Amino acid sequence: MPIVEAHILEGYSPTEKSRLTTALTDAIRFVVPAPDEAITVMLHEYPSEAYARGGQHRKPAPALPDPTQIVRAYLAAMEARDLDTAKTTLGVGFQMVFPGTRPMTELSELIDWSKGRYRFVKKTYDGFDALHSGGVAVVYARGTLYGEWMDGTPFEGIRFIDRFEIARDKIQRQDVWNDMAEVRAQ
Amino acid sequence: MPIVEAHILEGYSPTEKSRLTTALTDAIRFVVPAPDEAITVMLHEYPSEAYARGGQHRKPAPALPDPTQIVRAYLAAMEARDLDTAKTTLGVGFQMVFPGTRPMTELSELIDWSKGRYRFVKKTYDGFDALHSGGVAVVYARGTLYGEWMDGTPFEGIRFIDRFEIARDKIQRQDVWNDMAEVRAQ
Amino acid sequence: MPIVEAHILEGYSPTEKSRLTTALTDAIRFVVPAPDEAITVMLHEYPSEAYARGGQHRKPAPALPDPTQIVRAYLAAMEARDLDTAKTTLGVGFQMVFPGTRPMTELSELIDWSKGRYRFVKKTYDGFDALHSGGVAVVYARGTLYGEWMDGTPFEGIRFIDRFEIARDKIQRQDVWNDMAEVRAQ
Amino acid sequence: MPIVEAHILEGYSPTEKSRLTTALTDAIRFVVPAPDEAITVMLHEYPSEAYARGGQHRKPAPALPDPTQIVRAYLAAMEARDLDTAKTTLGVGFQMVFPGTRPMTELSELIDWSKGRYRFVKKTYDGFDALHSGGVAVVYARGTLYGEWMDGTPFEGIRFIDRFEIARDKIQRQDVWNDMAEVRAQ
Amino acid sequence: MPIVEAHILEGYSPTEKSRLTTALTDAIRFVVPAPDEAITVMLHEYPSEAYARGGQHRKPAPALPDPTQIVRAYLAAMEARDLDTAKTTLGVGFQMVFPGTRPMTELSELIDWSKGRYRFVKKTYDGFDALHSGGVAVVYARGTLYGEWMDGTPFEGIRFIDRFEIARDKIQRQDVWNDMAEVRAQ
Amino acid sequence: MPIVEAHILEGYSPTEKSRLTTALTDAIRFVVPAPDEAITVMLHEYPSEAYARGGQHRKPAPALPDPTQIVRAYLAAMEARDLDTAKTTLGVGFQMVFPGTRPMTELSELIDWSKGRYRFVKKTYDGFDALHSGGVAVVYARGTLYGEWMDGTPFEGIRFIDRFEIARDKIQRQDVWNDMAEVRAQ
């Protein structure tokens, strides 16, 4: 039954407002087992002149980009080995950890590291999860890998999960887990 | 600046209301880059007699349990090899997938599978993420493993991540990734 | 989908609040074809100290009595020929019009008028409708009459409808239509 | 003092919104004896993109037509013996009951029935009452009849009341009471 | 932390709405020691068709003019000895009291009274305070006077304070205090 | 017509809430010429557990004391020459300016200064005005003085006005104007 009213400044796009109503609906559903039909979210939008904090009229902050879209763009660029595009999605101080690696800060390190491991790898996605937590957006991407080992043998169905932290519209951190070593050991 | 009003029936505990205000604050922060101080959440609570849907007064649905607490209880019981307690947290049709395993449905299968792998393993947690997504609560637990291999050699610092799906107050699914095979292969 | 919030002073009973949520739900349904489940009514109740009009704190006006209950009490008393009780429900200046009568102001007039018409009459109710209109509560009672004619012949199933106006907690006017003359003429 | 806020989707006409504010005002007045000046109704209107139920954006349901207007159109057409127009206001399964008749379903039955009773009849209205009750709109029309008996004698001032049920924008049922038989018997 | 929602009819200018949000912010600050940043004011604006009091749609009353602007215009005109302009700001029944004078009703009286006191006087403002109190707007202007005594000696830094009452958009009363006599006596 | 809702934390006394509803009513009246009866103020009060800013539950700040009461207490103590009590109402850095004086910081300076001017003086109040402005509460007290000159001659009806600034619950500044010199010069 919960009903949510959110008061925001005018200026958000329909898509941004949909993201907001969805996030608020999920927030309620996280705690209250109401049927979806019973959860209503309404956005009150105020022009700047009708809204004041501390006596000052305010401008709306631009909405945060959808972090899942940022992650998808990064993953697509990496799969295409388009490092220039991939780099545009990374923040200063970006770090990534892959199975068995130390933290790497350059995409080229990753490329070098992977060279001895497989000829190529591609991802099939089972799902994404995204949330805000402790000041950053966290995105999980999971699914399976397919590609070719160094000897040309194909592989597929190897489970993976990536965890990303996004802040200031850029990816700050990537952590990767997968079953490659497990599969190779078999 | 966003301000959120949620209208709920009376009867939730202070802890449950805190979970709700936190979830709503995070929902806003997921989309709007407002400073935390500028996000206010207010809960209007109604006695049943002051709330009607479809002309009928309503009782509040009991709050969902905190899924992270369910996951922590399960993981603690498993670490202590207290399978009876662990089972109380699992739903009918529970499935788990570990690196290199097929889906298992019984905790005893897991125990058997692990017997040839290590003498014992324990977890150090780096963090938990939890969200509602598509009708289920999703909880991620991540950190590092320490323990002893079959030959008595100790190990530590092996990265892991677990993903849980919780519905109807029970864990329905567990997916596990870690670097054990990677480490053993080195 | 409409959601209604009504702001009222504290002090109304659960029954009075139910009457209010029902009346507001019906008001919405009169204009908007929403499914009942999609209409939510919430009452905000304020203690006097938290509510001011014109800078003055206010006390809640006692709720109006349910006019249908007043009408039922009057009709029951009349059927039992308990004129003293019936009179307590009538306002100063009460008028009633029956088929073929001029306006009557005394219940004894009605009794006299009916004496030549039937030995007794009782009512079976098909339904009541009640609403506020133009400053008064209007109640309709409809159903069928049964009883005995002057010659002892029983009758039944004679349609009737009564219309009442209630103001200042008293019945101010009663208008009666029925098929008695139609039936007698057959 | 009550203040009512109704939250609706954008798209209703000024007339429809007036019907809604009036219905809500009357709903309050049905229970609370506040002076009219002290009852305020405010409509919050949301574009579809700012409103979500169950996480889905919604379109406003078209407003229900004013049932009193439907009844007036039907009564005017019947008085003018314009049966084709009158039929457009009737729902499938329409029934009508007149004094002394069995339920009729065709307007032509009514015309036939009335042929032996009067040359013509017309209505002067004293008032209409309309409300939503139990899933249907109910409209009462009351006043007096005038016309000519079969022998050319004029009559006037004969009380009548009609009760209509409207659902799915059509009249489903008409019940009529009047003093014709009473007057003829005198 | 307080959050204020004001519900008003559409039609006020941005400046008028700013005056309203400022006045409401100050009203909160008068009672609650919240940091300014924690006080939010939001204006809900309703078109006439979405707002009804006593069942009647309403037009917004034109905003009251800023009383401080009226006082500033009056003081500027008086300083420039532009009595015609000054008079346009005065209400019927205007009264003014200066140090040692009886109530005067005509600006020319004031000019005559001042003729024996100084050649000219001008004002430097330290500040204005304005509020609504008991049905009128009250404006205080304070600062120091400079000018020339009758003998040509200049003076400056003489403290003054003026109190104005404004009603029906006009100044109804002016009360003046200053240290002129004190300074002359020294 | 304006309606004001203020959302505050629970814990304010009825008197404090009355001060708040009055201040908000006056704020509206400062800008909108609505009849007093048409201005409604409603306070939503939240227990700490139902209110969160930045995800943190909050405690209500104690209400500011009524600055007019502080000023009245100070003026009464000064009139009674009870300097100890008067001092309790003064802030660190308190300053006062009287006609013809430099800023004084000690009440004893004021007493010394007045010794050569009159035997005693008392105040009759015509009114108080109070408002929040620029971070401080401002209180005006005005009326007339009566007492005895040094030679025993009584005086009365001498106009005065005092302006006070109150911050952190203490009087920070007092500015006094009156017609004493004017009267003595006559």
Side-chain angles (χ1 to χ4, degrees), chain B residues 5 14 17-18 36-37 39-44, chain F residues 7 44 46 49-55 57-58:
Chain B
E5 297 176 77
K17 287 187 269 187
S18 283
D36 280 359
E37 289 292 293
I39 301 174
T40 302
V41 176
M42 305 180 291
L43 304 181
H44 295 271
Chain F
H7 303 265
H44 295 271
Y46 300 87
E49 67 192 51
Y51 180 95
R53 190 153 62 85
H57 295 290
R58 304 279 170 158

mmCIF file of all heavy atoms in Angstrom, chain B residues 5 14 17-18 36-37 39-44, chain F residues 7 44 46 49-55 57-58:
data_model
loop_
_atom_site.group_PDB
_atom_site.id
_atom_site.type_symbol
_atom_site.label_atom_id
_atom_site.label_comp_id
_atom_site.label_asym_id
_atom_site.label_seq_id
_atom_site.Cartn_x
_atom_site.Cartn_y
_atom_site.Cartn_z
ATOM 1 N N GLU B 5 8.250 11.858 0.826
ATOM 2 C CA GLU B 5 7.240 11.497 1.823
ATOM 3 C C GLU B 5 6.737 10.109 1.477
ATOM 4 O O GLU B 5 6.301 9.886 0.358
ATOM 5 C CB GLU B 5 6.064 12.466 1.799
ATOM 6 C CG GLU B 5 6.417 13.887 2.161
ATOM 7 C CD GLU B 5 5.208 14.820 2.031
ATOM 8 O OE1 GLU B 5 4.346 14.798 2.916
ATOM 9 O OE2 GLU B 5 5.144 15.542 1.030
ATOM 10 N N PRO B 14 10.978 0.748 14.732
ATOM 11 C CA PRO B 14 11.969 1.789 14.401
ATOM 12 C C PRO B 14 13.044 1.266 13.445
ATOM 13 O O PRO B 14 13.436 1.966 12.511
ATOM 14 C CB PRO B 14 12.558 2.164 15.759
ATOM 15 C CG PRO B 14 11.446 1.904 16.717
ATOM 16 C CD PRO B 14 10.728 0.681 16.182
ATOM 17 N N LYS B 17 11.624 1.055 10.006
ATOM 18 C CA LYS B 17 11.469 2.396 9.422
ATOM 19 C C LYS B 17 12.827 2.973 9.013
ATOM 20 O O LYS B 17 12.925 3.659 7.998
ATOM 21 C CB LYS B 17 10.726 3.306 10.400
ATOM 22 C CG LYS B 17 9.233 2.952 10.471
ATOM 23 C CD LYS B 17 8.443 3.926 11.294
ATOM 24 C CE LYS B 17 8.402 3.461 12.731
ATOM 25 N NZ LYS B 17 7.506 4.290 13.560
ATOM 26 N N SER B 18 13.838 2.683 9.786
ATOM 27 C CA SER B 18 15.177 3.135 9.392
ATOM 28 C C SER B 18 15.613 2.473 8.087
ATOM 29 O O SER B 18 16.229 3.113 7.233
ATOM 30 C CB SER B 18 16.204 2.792 10.481
ATOM 31 O OG SER B 18 16.095 3.689 11.553
ATOM 32 N N ASP B 36 24.102 14.433 0.546
ATOM 33 C CA ASP B 36 23.257 13.667 1.473
ATOM 34 C C ASP B 36 22.427 14.573 2.367
ATOM 35 O O ASP B 36 21.250 14.299 2.609
ATOM 36 C CB ASP B 36 24.137 12.756 2.344
ATOM 37 C CG ASP B 36 24.536 11.497 1.593
ATOM 38 O OD1 ASP B 36 24.128 11.336 0.435
ATOM 39 O OD2 ASP B 36 25.259 10.683 2.177
ATOM 40 N N GLU B 37 23.044 15.636 2.850
ATOM 41 C CA GLU B 37 22.357 16.538 3.771
ATOM 42 C C GLU B 37 21.095 17.132 3.165
ATOM 43 O O GLU B 37 20.246 17.668 3.874
ATOM 44 C CB GLU B 37 23.291 17.701 4.163
ATOM 45 C CG GLU B 37 24.407 17.312 5.066
ATOM 46 C CD GLU B 37 23.875 16.929 6.429
ATOM 47 O OE1 GLU B 37 23.353 17.785 7.148
ATOM 48 O OE2 GLU B 37 23.986 15.736 6.743
ATOM 49 N N ILE B 39 18.899 15.551 1.294
ATOM 50 C CA ILE B 39 17.839 14.568 1.044
ATOM 51 C C ILE B 39 17.112 14.255 2.345
ATOM 52 O O ILE B 39 17.713 13.772 3.299
ATOM 53 C CB ILE B 39 18.408 13.261 0.452
ATOM 54 C CG1 ILE B 39 19.127 13.546 -0.870
ATOM 55 C CG2 ILE B 39 17.282 12.242 0.235
ATOM 56 C CD1 ILE B 39 19.833 12.358 -1.454
ATOM 57 N N THR B 40 15.832 14.572 2.354
ATOM 58 C CA THR B 40 15.025 14.343 3.551
ATOM 59 C C THR B 40 13.951 13.310 3.239
ATOM 60 O O THR B 40 13.328 13.365 2.187
ATOM 61 C CB THR B 40 14.371 15.664 3.994
ATOM 62 O OG1 THR B 40 15.386 16.627 4.228
ATOM 63 C CG2 THR B 40 13.558 15.474 5.262
ATOM 64 N N VAL B 41 13.788 12.384 4.145
ATOM 65 C CA VAL B 41 12.731 11.376 4.003
ATOM 66 C C VAL B 41 11.817 11.458 5.226
ATOM 67 O O VAL B 41 12.303 11.477 6.360
ATOM 68 C CB VAL B 41 13.310 9.956 3.884
ATOM 69 C CG1 VAL B 41 12.193 8.920 3.832
ATOM 70 C CG2 VAL B 41 14.198 9.834 2.649
ATOM 71 N N MET B 42 10.534 11.537 4.987
ATOM 72 C CA MET B 42 9.562 11.619 6.078
ATOM 73 C C MET B 42 8.516 10.527 5.893
ATOM 74 O O MET B 42 8.010 10.345 4.789
ATOM 75 C CB MET B 42 8.889 12.987 6.058
ATOM 76 C CG MET B 42 9.897 14.137 6.104
ATOM 77 S SD MET B 42 9.170 15.809 6.090
ATOM 78 C CE MET B 42 8.502 15.871 4.413
ATOM 79 N N LEU B 43 8.216 9.838 6.962
ATOM 80 C CA LEU B 43 7.224 8.762 6.907
ATOM 81 C C LEU B 43 5.931 9.212 7.580
ATOM 82 O O LEU B 43 5.924 9.554 8.763
ATOM 83 C CB LEU B 43 7.742 7.513 7.625
ATOM 84 C CG LEU B 43 9.073 6.933 7.148
ATOM 85 C CD1 LEU B 43 9.411 5.682 7.965
ATOM 86 C CD2 LEU B 43 9.032 6.614 5.667
ATOM 87 N N HIS B 44 4.856 9.238 6.816
ATOM 88 C CA HIS B 44 3.531 9.444 7.404
ATOM 89 C C HIS B 44 2.987 8.074 7.787
ATOM 90 O O HIS B 44 2.879 7.195 6.925
ATOM 91 C CB HIS B 44 2.571 10.080 6.396
ATOM 92 C CG HIS B 44 2.942 11.454 5.964
ATOM 93 N ND1 HIS B 44 2.526 12.580 6.633
ATOM 94 C CD2 HIS B 44 3.683 11.902 4.933
ATOM 95 C CE1 HIS B 44 2.995 13.648 6.016
ATOM 96 N NE2 HIS B 44 3.705 13.272 4.983
ATOM 97 N N HIS F 7 6.385 20.648 8.149
ATOM 98 C CA HIS F 7 6.812 19.323 8.614
ATOM 99 C C HIS F 7 7.904 19.526 9.654
ATOM 100 O O HIS F 7 8.964 20.079 9.336
ATOM 101 C CB HIS F 7 7.348 18.503 7.443
ATOM 102 C CG HIS F 7 6.370 18.334 6.319
ATOM 103 N ND1 HIS F 7 5.558 17.248 6.193
ATOM 104 C CD2 HIS F 7 6.053 19.141 5.278
ATOM 105 C CE1 HIS F 7 4.791 17.375 5.116
ATOM 106 N NE2 HIS F 7 5.083 18.513 4.533
ATOM 107 N N HIS F 44 2.711 18.901 10.513
ATOM 108 C CA HIS F 44 2.964 17.457 10.546
ATOM 109 C C HIS F 44 4.125 17.216 11.505
ATOM 110 O O HIS F 44 5.200 17.782 11.294
ATOM 111 C CB HIS F 44 3.362 16.925 9.165
ATOM 112 C CG HIS F 44 2.300 17.029 8.124
ATOM 113 N ND1 HIS F 44 1.373 16.048 7.915
ATOM 114 C CD2 HIS F 44 2.017 18.004 7.238
ATOM 115 C CE1 HIS F 44 0.567 16.408 6.925
ATOM 116 N NE2 HIS F 44 0.936 17.585 6.490
ATOM 117 N N TYR F 46 6.762 14.539 13.249
ATOM 118 C CA TYR F 46 7.355 13.224 13.019
ATOM 119 C C TYR F 46 8.197 12.797 14.214
ATOM 120 O O TYR F 46 9.051 13.566 14.666
ATOM 121 C CB TYR F 46 8.277 13.254 11.793
ATOM 122 C CG TYR F 46 7.573 13.640 10.525
ATOM 123 C CD1 TYR F 46 7.429 14.967 10.164
ATOM 124 C CD2 TYR F 46 7.033 12.671 9.693
ATOM 125 C CE1 TYR F 46 6.762 15.333 9.002
ATOM 126 C CE2 TYR F 46 6.372 13.022 8.534
ATOM 127 C CZ TYR F 46 6.240 14.356 8.192
ATOM 128 O OH TYR F 46 5.582 14.711 7.048
ATOM 129 N N GLU F 49 12.279 8.579 14.489
ATOM 130 C CA GLU F 49 12.445 7.353 13.691
ATOM 131 C C GLU F 49 11.735 7.421 12.343
ATOM 132 O O GLU F 49 11.964 6.574 11.484
ATOM 133 C CB GLU F 49 11.922 6.154 14.483
ATOM 134 C CG GLU F 49 10.416 6.222 14.671
ATOM 135 C CD GLU F 49 9.891 5.237 15.680
ATOM 136 O OE1 GLU F 49 10.436 5.212 16.789
ATOM 137 O OE2 GLU F 49 8.940 4.522 15.359
ATOM 138 N N ALA F 50 10.855 8.415 12.181
ATOM 139 C CA ALA F 50 10.122 8.536 10.917
ATOM 140 C C ALA F 50 10.630 9.710 10.091
ATOM 141 O O ALA F 50 9.989 10.146 9.136
ATOM 142 C CB ALA F 50 8.621 8.701 11.192
ATOM 143 N N TYR F 51 11.774 10.224 10.472
ATOM 144 C CA TYR F 51 12.337 11.385 9.782
ATOM 145 C C TYR F 51 13.837 11.172 9.623
ATOM 146 O O TYR F 51 14.523 10.814 10.589
ATOM 147 C CB TYR F 51 12.069 12.651 10.595
ATOM 148 C CG TYR F 51 12.617 13.893 9.940
ATOM 149 C CD1 TYR F 51 11.811 14.690 9.134
ATOM 150 C CD2 TYR F 51 13.949 14.254 10.110
ATOM 151 C CE1 TYR F 51 12.314 15.819 8.507
ATOM 152 C CE2 TYR F 51 14.467 15.378 9.484
ATOM 153 C CZ TYR F 51 13.642 16.145 8.683
ATOM 154 O OH TYR F 51 14.142 17.263 8.060
ATOM 155 N N ALA F 52 14.337 11.368 8.429
ATOM 156 C CA ALA F 52 15.781 11.211 8.215
ATOM 157 C C ALA F 52 16.253 12.271 7.238
ATOM 158 O O ALA F 52 15.586 12.548 6.238
ATOM 159 C CB ALA F 52 16.098 9.823 7.662
ATOM 160 N N ARG F 53 17.351 12.883 7.563
ATOM 161 C CA ARG F 53 18.013 13.777 6.609
ATOM 162 C C ARG F 53 19.395 13.211 6.367
ATOM 163 O O ARG F 53 20.090 12.872 7.324
ATOM 164 C CB ARG F 53 18.087 15.218 7.137
ATOM 165 C CG ARG F 53 18.539 16.206 6.058
ATOM 166 C CD ARG F 53 18.000 17.626 6.308
ATOM 167 N NE ARG F 53 18.486 18.162 7.551
ATOM 168 C CZ ARG F 53 19.663 18.777 7.701
ATOM 169 N NH1 ARG F 53 20.459 18.965 6.666
ATOM 170 N NH2 ARG F 53 20.043 19.237 8.865
ATOM 171 N N GLY F 54 19.753 13.097 5.095
ATOM 172 C CA GLY F 54 21.035 12.489 4.756
ATOM 173 C C GLY F 54 21.112 11.070 5.298
ATOM 174 O O GLY F 54 22.188 10.589 5.634
ATOM 175 N N GLY F 55 19.927 10.426 5.418
ATOM 176 C CA GLY F 55 19.921 9.049 5.887
ATOM 177 C C GLY F 55 20.054 8.919 7.398
ATOM 178 O O GLY F 55 20.049 7.819 7.938
ATOM 179 N N HIS F 57 18.636 9.792 11.239
ATOM 180 C CA HIS F 57 17.505 10.259 12.035
ATOM 181 C C HIS F 57 17.957 11.466 12.841
ATOM 182 O O HIS F 57 19.114 11.597 13.209
ATOM 183 C CB HIS F 57 16.980 9.142 12.935
ATOM 184 C CG HIS F 57 16.405 8.024 12.135
ATOM 185 N ND1 HIS F 57 15.235 8.152 11.431
ATOM 186 C CD2 HIS F 57 16.873 6.778 11.883
ATOM 187 C CE1 HIS F 57 14.986 7.029 10.797
ATOM 188 N NE2 HIS F 57 15.966 6.167 11.033
ATOM 189 N N ARG F 58 17.013 12.351 13.098
ATOM 190 C CA ARG F 58 17.368 13.637 13.705
ATOM 191 C C ARG F 58 16.561 13.889 14.965
ATOM 192 O O ARG F 58 15.441 13.423 15.092
ATOM 193 C CB ARG F 58 17.063 14.768 12.701
ATOM 194 C CG ARG F 58 17.750 14.591 11.353
ATOM 195 C CD ARG F 58 19.180 15.039 11.395
ATOM 196 N NE ARG F 58 19.883 14.657 10.178
ATOM 197 C CZ ARG F 58 20.991 15.259 9.766
ATOM 198 N NH1 ARG F 58 21.519 16.238 10.465
ATOM 199 N NH2 ARG F 58 21.596 14.843 8.675
#
